[in-house]
Amino acid sequence: VMLCGPTTLMPKHIASLGVKVEHDLDKALRWCDVANMLRIQMERQGGDGIGNFPSLREYAMLYGLDLDRYTRIGKDVVIMHPGPINRGVEVTSQVADHANSIILEQVENGVAIRMAVLYLLSARIPRSPV
């Protein structure tokens, strides 16, 4: 497992768990077979929407996946993202809609999994007779 991103978004002791840490997205993409891009949660950043990096533009340039960067990888990396996507920040529309993207399936399955977990948990809640 490898985690790639800016130092300011990395958990402090992640390397001690045996996770490889990389700050160069191009190197990380060449290493992997599947890339699960994560959403920048703007609501959890500073009041201006950013706080852990200088700007969204800089983040997109360093850590965003566009078609040019994807093509330079030189292999068919499967692209994942749990959604919702900040298009143009983590992933561009061209990559999100690419043949090697399974984002829509991932989002659809995520809804079904959460529904199943809620169903199973609610079945364990004791019900009082009406």
Side-chain angles (χ1 to χ4, degrees):
V1 175
M2 179 185 288
L3 185 62
C4 179
T7 304
T8 53
L9 293 178
M10 292 284 180
K12 281 186 180 180
H13 304 290
I14 193 73
S16 68
L17 299 174
V19 174
K20 293 179 184 184
V21 175
E22 180 59 63
H23 300 291
D24 182 329
L25 181 60
D26 295 311
K27 286 182 184 177
L29 290 169
R30 285 191 299 273
W31 176 86
C32 73
D33 294 316
V34 177
N36 190 5
M37 311 298 286
L38 297 179
R39 181 174 75 90
I40 295 298
Q41 296 177 323
M42 313 253 198
E43 64 277 8
R44 295 185 184 206
Q45 303 296 319
D48 56 0
I50 58 172
N52 292 313
F53 43 85
S55 70
L56 287 177
R57 182 173 184 264
E58 180 178 288
Y59 181 89
M61 288 174 55
L62 295 173
Y63 298 103
L65 186 55
D66 61 12
L67 191 57
D68 183 49
R69 176 173 265 157
Y70 183 81
T71 303
R72 285 194 319 258
I73 299 168
K75 63 179 184 175
D76 290 335
V77 172
V78 174
I79 304 301
M80 299 178 71
H81 190 296
I85 299 171
N86 294 310
R87 289 184 182 249
V89 179
E90 306 99 19
V91 180
T92 63
S93 292
Q94 290 176 309
V95 174
D97 301 332
H98 192 275
N100 290 337
S101 168
I102 59 170
I103 294 171
L104 291 179
E105 293 89 339
Q106 181 184 1
V107 170
E108 182 179 339
N109 290 333
V111 171
I113 293 294
R114 287 189 294 278
M115 289 173 63
V117 167
L118 290 172
Y119 173 80
L120 292 172
L121 290 173
S122 66
R124 293 177 163 250
I125 298 172
R127 310 260 190 245
S128 59
V130 179

